[in-house]
Amino acid sequence: MSNIIAAGFNAGSDDGEIDSLAQDLRALAEIGAEAVEIAPTTLDLIAGGRVIHERAEALVAATEEHDFLYTVHGLVSSNFMDPATVGYQLAAAKALVEVCDRIGAGILVQHSGALRADQIHDRLRADLRERETLFELAEFARPYGVRIALENIFTTEPGQYRQTPSEVAATVRAVNHPNVVALIDFSHAYLECSYRGLDLMDELRAMAPLAGHLHVHDSFGRPQGFFRGYHPQENTAMGIGDLHMPLGWGDIGWEAIFAELEFLPETVLMMEIGRRYRREQPASLARARALAELNAGASALAAE
């Protein structure tokens, strides 16, 4: 039996209102997704670290129309290494834990941190600052039954301090809290390994035993650099950057990965493949389910 319990897609609002999110949820229900990752920060749902309750009630009403297994994506800009904003970041994350509780979500995604090249004096305590803040958030989340999933990101600007996937795993180990797990974003790992000259499978192997959540989307592992396509599709045409493409459009070796790696129990395979690829979502969902079955077989062999 696989530790992967569900597969689905991310969803958010296009305009800050609930209606566009609700439309997305209905479309995902029609194609048979089992899980949805909500992005509440696309909804003007939190202000200054507090939940706007009227909007939260509207979100609850929209989510209750479906029987999805829900998870929640925190701030895309989340960064517990930044001393200037870490207090505000933590307050917003705690508010998001309350949102998780309202919609029955057991996972809150938190991006791993970074520092700019000019934050030289902040580098000394950056890792410790992130670990201490993660621990405080996890303690807050514990009575809600919410796990904080720390996601590996990739270098986005010259001279930036950013942890590798294996270093993100080391952070999770150091925090050593039952409500903190690792989140493998496979495309992010591919990009960072290409940039740093690291072995992708070695980095994934370091994260897998701690991974309680997965972000799955395809790419070619080609760092963005200074190229900026005029249309997003031009990046896709070049195969450059964090593309969030349907499974099979890039060259990530999904079958080899899921045939080998084992993840924590109650792990969700969440595809960050948005409504731009609505026509391809059903095929990606079918492939994700096949990967979960493959992973179940690999887990069974490992247990023998």
Side-chain angles (χ1 to χ4, degrees):
M1 181 177 180
S2 176
N3 285 339
I4 298 172
I5 59 170
F9 298 92
N10 62 307
S13 171
D14 290 334
D15 56 6
E17 297 294 341
I18 295 289
D19 287 348
S20 59
L21 170 63
Q23 291 172 7
D24 207 10
L25 294 179
R26 286 192 288 271
L28 294 176
E30 287 177 5
I31 67 174
E34 301 128 20
V36 171
E37 188 150 288
I38 302 285
T41 55
T42 65
L43 289 167
D44 287 314
L45 193 68
I46 296 169
R50 59 185 177 85
V51 177
I52 305 301
H53 295 292
E54 296 81 3
R55 286 193 170 236
E57 289 171 4
L59 174 61
V60 170
T63 57
E64 284 181 343
E65 291 182 14
H66 309 280
D67 60 356
F68 293 126
L69 188 161
Y70 288 108
T71 63
V72 165
H73 199 302
L75 280 70
V76 176
S77 58
S78 55
N79 181 4
F80 283 171
M81 289 186 183
D82 181 29
T85 63
V86 67
Y88 307 140
Q89 297 259 354
L90 179 59
K94 287 180 177 179
L96 285 165
V97 169
E98 295 177 16
V99 173
C100 286
D101 183 58
R102 289 195 179 207
I103 67 171
I107 286 283
L108 172 62
V109 174
Q110 169 74 26
H111 281 188
S112 56
L115 291 177
R116 301 185 311 274
D118 63 354
Q119 290 181 282
I120 297 169
H121 299 292
D122 297 326
R123 173 67 184 86
L124 182 62
R125 294 192 74 256
D127 291 344
L128 181 60
R129 183 181 304 113
E130 179 175 62
R131 292 172 183 181
E132 290 175 343
T133 310
L134 279 169
F135 188 88
E136 182 175 344
L137 179 60
E139 282 290 279
F140 180 84
R142 188 200 293 259
Y144 293 97
V146 173
R147 293 187 297 173
I148 312 304
L150 185 65
E151 179 177 356
N152 61 294
I153 314 297
F154 55 94
T155 301
T156 58
E157 59 186 45
Q160 182 183 61
Y161 173 64
R162 177 75 75 182
Q163 290 185 335
T164 64
S166 58
E167 289 169 340
V168 172
T171 293
V172 173
R173 285 195 180 90
V175 174
N176 191 27
H177 195 288
N179 289 75
V180 177
V181 297
L183 189 170
I184 300 178
D185 187 304
F186 296 93
S187 181
H188 292 177
Y190 192 11
L191 287 162
E192 191 67 1
C193 287
S194 296
Y195 172 67
R196 297 203 188 203
L198 302 172
D199 184 273
L200 175 61
M201 285 304 299
D202 283 348
E203 292 294 301
L204 295 179
R205 289 182 189 111
M207 288 193 76
L210 302 166
H213 199 57
L214 307 175
H215 278 175
V216 175
H217 47 98
D218 224 334
S219 75
F220 294 94
R222 300 170 186 169
Q224 184 77 43
F226 292 102
F227 176 81
R228 296 292 182 272
Y230 184 79
H231 301 290
Q233 290 82 357
E234 294 180 3
N235 282 344
T236 304
M238 300 277 283
I240 289 175
D242 187 28
L243 297 171
H244 289 262
M245 296 187 302
L247 304 190
W249 280 36
D251 62 3
I252 295 177
W254 296 111
E255 280 70 23
I257 288 169
F258 280 83
E260 176 183 339
L261 301 183
E262 256 191 287
F263 313 107
L264 293 175
E266 306 294 306
T267 292
V268 174
L269 191 162
M270 187 59 64
M271 287 173 283
E272 290 191 310
I273 301 168
R275 59 176 69 104
R276 170 180 162 192
Y277 294 115
R278 184 75 76 209
R279 69 171 60 203
E280 286 80 24
Q281 283 180 330
S284 286
L285 182 59
R287 188 161 182 185
R289 287 171 174 156
L291 291 173
E293 290 180 12
L294 178 64
N295 189 250
S299 299
L301 285 174
E304 289 179 0

